[in-house]
Amino acid sequence: MNDERPEPVVLYSTWRGLLLAVVAPGLLIAIGLGSMIAVGRLAVVALILAALGAFFAAITLFDLPRRSVVSEEGVTRRCLLRSQLLTWADVVAIGRAPGPRFSGPRHEGGGRLQRRPGGLTAVVGKRRYLLVDQPEGADEYESVARCVQAWGRGAVMRAEPPPAEAPPTWLYHERGRQG
């Protein structure tokens, strides 16, 4: 790694992931409310479905990042309805979330399912904050590692490198293209 000051890195979540995270709670709410309207009264199961949908919608709107910026101040998660700065003084490590269970090669050697890696997370205390919902590209990974080394104040890069074929997260967000 060189001695140059690193540039901030912007990581983007997938549009598909964001869309599914918004549509799924909306469907639960619609099914719950539709059931109550069809029955003509408050049904317990329908009410539970609508409440679960509202709960998951709140999580999506307030805690699922559209993009994350790794900078000198720390890691800023930009969600649909809020921004959250995780300062380097609080970040212990940058790790990796588990990926989808049934993606990638189905069998490896002994017939076990292989799990693809997920996106990066910031570890603050015992809590992990999702930074991006997909593995980043190799160049983005290296840029994040340089940022952690330069600004991390004791934070470590625990995340394994992404798969070689992982495209950069800015692929469909040309405004955020690094380099």
Side-chain angles (χ1 to χ4, degrees):
M1 296 200 180
N2 57 25
D3 291 336
E4 289 181 27
R5 187 178 164 102
E7 291 289 320
V9 181
V10 180
L11 302 169
Y12 294 94
S13 289
T14 60
W15 287 112
R16 181 183 62 190
L18 292 169
L19 182 64
L20 288 174
V22 169
V23 169
L27 286 174
L28 282 175
I29 293 170
I31 290 169
L33 293 178
S35 296
M36 283 188 266
I37 291 169
V39 171
R41 62 183 167 83
L42 208 58
V44 174
V45 173
L47 187 61
I48 290 172
L49 284 176
L52 278 174
F55 175 73
F56 292 134
I59 289 173
T60 297
L61 296 172
F62 288 98
D63 204 42
L64 183 67
R66 291 180 307 131
R67 69 177 178 186
S68 295
V69 180
V70 182
S71 66
E72 191 169 359
E73 292 79 32
V75 181
T76 303
R77 299 171 67 237
R78 302 213 191 264
C79 304
L80 293 172
L81 293 181
R82 78 171 177 143
S83 248
Q84 178 184 25
L85 174 63
L86 306 171
T87 64
W88 287 118
D90 297 328
V91 175
V92 174
I94 300 294
R96 190 163 300 282
R101 288 184 192 269
F102 303 112
S103 62
R106 292 291 187 203
H107 298 282
E108 181 183 280
R112 298 179 70 190
L113 289 175
Q114 184 178 356
R115 178 175 248 179
R116 284 178 27 116
L120 294 176
T121 62
V123 180
V124 176
K126 293 183 179 184
R127 181 150 186 218
R128 294 187 316 167
Y129 291 88
L130 186 66
L131 302 181
V132 63
D133 70 344
Q134 65 179 338
E136 67 290 347
D139 289 343
E140 290 171 315
Y141 174 84
E142 291 299 323
S143 295
V144 170
R146 280 193 298 275
C147 290
V148 171
Q149 184 180 26
W151 300 320
R153 297 185 190 147
V156 294
M157 187 73 172
R158 279 192 208 146
E160 294 291 322
E165 72 277 1
T169 64
W170 51 257
L171 189 61
Y172 299 107
H173 299 270
E174 286 298 320
R175 288 181 297 136
R177 184 175 180 172
Q178 301 291 310

